[in-house]
Amino acid sequence: MTQTTVKSKSWWEPKSTTLLKEYARTSGGTYAAGTFKNWKYKGQRVHLPLSPHFGSCEVTITDPNNDSSGHEYAISVKYSYRPRRKLEFVLFSANRHILAWFSRGLREASLPNSALNKKYRAKASHPSLLRSALKYEGIEELLNLHSKIHVRLRIKNGRATLTCTEKLKKPDVTAITATVELMKKLLLALEDQGIIGDPVIHPKQ
């Protein structure tokens, strides 16, 4: 993946903050700093408008810490909606077997072809529905560009949240854009299967 350089980074500002501000500026999104509300902390993020009927998504970057494997940054794109059909799933690299431990209650799901089955693992509440969604045009090509992607769809209290998370040692605006593009394609695939209902509006503050 092509890397670009973020310019004019302040010496005291975390790289994640610099990247999110630059991404907001170039994408038409809105940067929001981390805030405390009702004794809870909500991290910095970019509110990114999608097409009118999809509403918006949230983009975040987590800086590496001393415990993070390989000192990697985590780019995460999150979208919430009211589900029309129930589907929960996890999709992750075949090299990251540990992620299978966090998918209790889901069944093993085969992917649309042998090439994807070699690179990824998936579990779902409705494996055939996930398989159909992943046949959507362009999904395979985008997944092949994201070797460390982790996609999760959960439903709680009538609200479904789709999250795409990718870990990189040297993230840049191009990498953020690529993860967002994968999210957009997944939304189109889920909509094609009649899964997505009205978007859940994210408060900007």
Side-chain angles (χ1 to χ4, degrees):
M1 185 175 292
T2 303
Q3 298 287 330
T4 59
T5 301
V6 177
K7 298 180 179 180
S8 66
K9 177 186 181 301
S10 301
W11 66 269
W12 49 266
E13 187 175 73
K15 183 176 181 178
S16 59
T17 301
T18 303
L19 282 171
L20 285 174
K21 288 180 177 178
E22 178 66 12
Y23 179 69
R25 185 185 69 80
T26 58
S27 67
T30 302
Y31 172 80
T35 56
F36 278 101
K37 187 175 182 181
N38 297 326
W39 300 100
K40 292 183 179 180
Y41 179 73
K42 185 173 180 61
Q44 61 178 351
R45 64 274 184 203
V46 170
H47 297 275
L48 181 68
L50 302 172
S51 60
H53 72 284
F54 277 133
S56 65
C57 65
E58 283 190 351
V59 181
T60 63
I61 300 179
T62 303
D63 289 295
N65 54 48
N66 293 333
D67 297 326
S68 61
S69 175
H71 301 286
E72 295 174 314
Y73 293 79
I75 300 172
S76 186
V77 186
K78 182 182 295 185
Y79 178 80
S80 297
Y81 63 92
R82 304 296 179 188
R84 285 181 176 160
R85 300 176 69 183
K86 181 180 179 182
L87 174 64
E88 295 183 286
F89 71 86
V90 291
L91 173 70
F92 50 91
S93 168
N95 296 325
R96 303 184 69 194
H97 302 289
I98 191 172
L99 294 178
W101 298 352
F102 302 98
S103 53
R104 294 178 180 177
L106 301 180
R107 293 179 284 165
E108 292 286 346
S110 62
L111 302 179
N113 58 56
S114 59
L116 284 178
N117 276 306
K118 288 181 181 179
K119 293 182 178 181
Y120 302 96
R121 294 289 180 270
K123 289 191 172 185
S125 59
H126 297 75
S128 61
L129 189 53
L130 173 62
R131 182 183 174 89
S132 295
L134 294 179
K135 290 180 180 179
Y136 192 84
E137 183 178 0
I139 290 287
E140 181 177 357
E141 290 77 7
L142 286 178
L143 283 175
N144 285 332
L145 297 176
H146 299 267
S147 60
K148 293 186 177 181
I149 199 70
H150 177 209
V151 183
R152 182 184 68 196
L153 177 57
R154 288 182 176 176
I155 299 176
K156 185 176 180 180
N157 298 327
R159 170 174 171 161
T161 301
L162 177 67
T163 306
C164 293
T165 302
E166 186 162 21
K167 292 187 176 182
L168 298 171
K169 289 186 177 181
K170 296 181 179 180
D172 57 16
V173 171
T174 300
I176 299 171
T177 301
T179 305
V180 171
E181 289 304 309
L182 175 59
M183 165 68 80
K184 290 179 179 179
K185 186 66 72 171
L186 288 169
L187 292 179
L188 291 174
L190 294 174
E191 183 183 49
D192 187 61
Q193 296 297 314
I195 293 169
I196 294 181
D198 295 332
V200 174
I201 305 301
H202 292 289
K204 292 190 176 183
Q205 298 296 335

